[in-house]
Amino acid sequence: MTLFTCRFDAVIHFAGLKAVGESVRKPLLYFDNNLIGTIILFQVMAAHGCKKLVFSSSATVYGWPKEVPCTEEFPLSVTNPYGRTKLIIEEICRDLYCSDSDWKIILLRYFNPVGAHPSGSIGEDPRGIPNNLMPFVQQVAVGRLTSLTIFGNDYKTSDGTGIRDYIHVLDLAEGHIAALRKLDDAKIGCEVYNLGTGKGTSVLEMVKAFEQASGKKIPLAMGGRRPGDAEIVYASTKKAERELNWKAKHGIDDMCRDQWNWASKNPYGYGRSGDSSN
Ligand code: UFG
């Protein structure tokens, strides 16, 4: 038998549970899966001499920011166990680098990833009722859900609905390639970068853009604010532009067009109509 040994140059660590509400109900599940899983991964990396890492963090670590755009230096706070796992992993990474400067680590704080691969064959397929805005809107458009409830229309924003920084998954993917390249930089220690577009879009603006892209009407219901939601969150992208040489290229019309292409070709995601595991 021939044994092949592989060498890993770097790891991009995306894995983790990510439903905010579920994390409030099952914190130990989140700490076990997200934290213990990450610690084991780092131990295995160290044991194999692989000390280059890109980690998927989240804008959730900015909590309710006092001002926008959010820069990487903003104070950090979280409001739920999911967010806490992201913040703790960021801190583990900083400690790891302090203990051993051979580590090269980039923490990427994702804003709101949406859209799908333009081929229409790769997209998001959440289990159960989606928690996030765009998967929910998509399921209304294909007739799986009847209407979208807007979580609060009394925020201090132009139309009263919450504002977020939506980023196309293609741009997000390119941000990871840029981060991997940056890990070759001799000077990098443990650095953090926002991955967003720098533009804020309200819930109603996003729904309108999706209606335009899909030609479908999204019935709306007004609901109260969702606990833990911030009013306005969008990124400062200057550091990523300057140091990663990366900038998002796609706007919300591209995001909605590609997401609708995925949804209309795969209304039941990777499963079939009536498949309850889907
Ligand atoms: N919203 C609705 N109705 C819905 C779902 C969402 O009105 O059914 C609104 C929210 O109130 C918010 C906006 O749409 O104003 C976006 O909500 P999402 O749930 O899509 O996204 P969040 O900004 O709340 O959270 C997302 C990810 C988190 C991540 C966070 C910050 O879900 O994992 O961004 O990065 F931590």
Side-chain angles (χ1 to χ4, degrees):
M1 191 173 75
T2 317
L3 282 178
F4 294 97
T5 49
C6 297
R7 206 170 57 84
F8 295 90
D9 296 316
V11 168
I12 304 182
H13 177 24
F14 302 106
L17 297 172
K18 70 172 205 59
V20 173
E22 183 185 51
S23 80
V24 174
R25 290 190 306 278
K26 302 178 184 172
L28 294 181
L29 175 69
Y30 275 65
F31 295 139
D32 182 20
N33 185 76
N34 292 9
L35 296 184
I36 309 282
T38 297
I39 291 167
I40 293 170
L41 172 67
F42 292 175
Q43 287 169 337
V44 171
M45 287 175 68
H48 290 269
C50 174
K51 295 184 180 174
K52 287 183 181 171
L53 172 75
V54 176
F55 172 65
S56 310
S57 187
S58 164
T60 197
V61 298
Y62 294 121
W64 182 308
K66 288 208 178 70
E67 48 178 328
V68 278
C70 301
T71 70
E72 286 83 351
E73 292 76 36
F74 271 23
L76 305 178
S77 70
V78 288
T79 54
N80 57 71
Y82 155 75
R84 205 171 323 282
T85 66
K86 293 292 180 192
L87 187 51
I88 292 172
I89 295 169
E90 285 202 3
E91 286 171 350
I92 290 173
C93 289
R94 286 185 269 271
D95 287 343
L96 201 54
Y97 173 68
C98 282
S99 74
D100 174 358
S101 59
D102 284 350
W103 280 90
K104 293 180 172 201
I105 302 174
I106 291 188
L107 309 171
L108 296 177
R109 292 187 184 144
Y110 298 5
F111 281 68
N112 289 61
V114 298
H117 191 269
S119 64
S121 57
I122 312 173
E124 191 174 358
D125 183 16
R127 295 216 176 131
I129 308 283
N131 298 297
N132 295 119
L133 178 66
M134 294 315 283
F136 200 107
V137 168
Q138 167 184 325
Q139 291 197 12
V140 174
V142 299
R144 289 171 65 178
L145 296 169
T146 51
S147 64
L148 169 75
T149 301
I150 306 249
F151 296 146
N153 61 351
D154 58 349
Y155 287 110
K156 288 194 215 91
T157 62
S158 53
D159 60 24
T161 65
I163 288 184
R164 294 290 181 276
D165 186 337
Y166 297 93
I167 173 168
H168 197 300
V169 288
L170 284 183
D171 282 323
L172 198 74
E174 286 187 0
H176 289 71
I177 305 297
L180 267 184
R181 289 209 178 96
K182 182 76 179 171
L183 288 180
D184 286 331
D185 186 333
K187 290 189 297 294
I188 194 105
C190 179
E191 277 296 333
V192 48
Y193 295 98
N194 288 336
L195 291 186
T197 63
K199 292 188 192 71
T201 304
S202 75
V203 177
L204 285 175
E205 286 167 341
M206 212 53 196
V207 169
K208 207 175 285 168
F210 196 85
E211 286 183 334
Q212 210 122 50
S214 62
K216 303 280 179 187
K217 186 87 198 130
I218 306 295
L220 300 177
M222 290 302 163
R225 294 183 178 194
R226 184 170 61 177
D229 267 355
E231 187 165 69
I232 306 180
V233 187
Y234 59 87
S236 162
T237 58
K238 288 202 176 101
K239 187 177 176 197
E241 281 173 38
R242 198 175 55 236
E243 297 183 16
L244 297 182
N245 200 17
W246 168 90
K247 190 174 168 34
K249 297 188 202 84
H250 299 282
I252 60 168
D253 292 339
D254 293 353
M255 300 175 208
C256 292
R257 179 201 61 214
D258 291 339
Q259 187 157 347
W260 175 241
N261 186 35
W262 153 252
S264 55
K265 287 181 176 153
N266 306 277
Y268 286 86
Y270 295 103
R272 296 179 308 276
S273 166
D275 178 350
S276 60
S277 69
N278 185 37

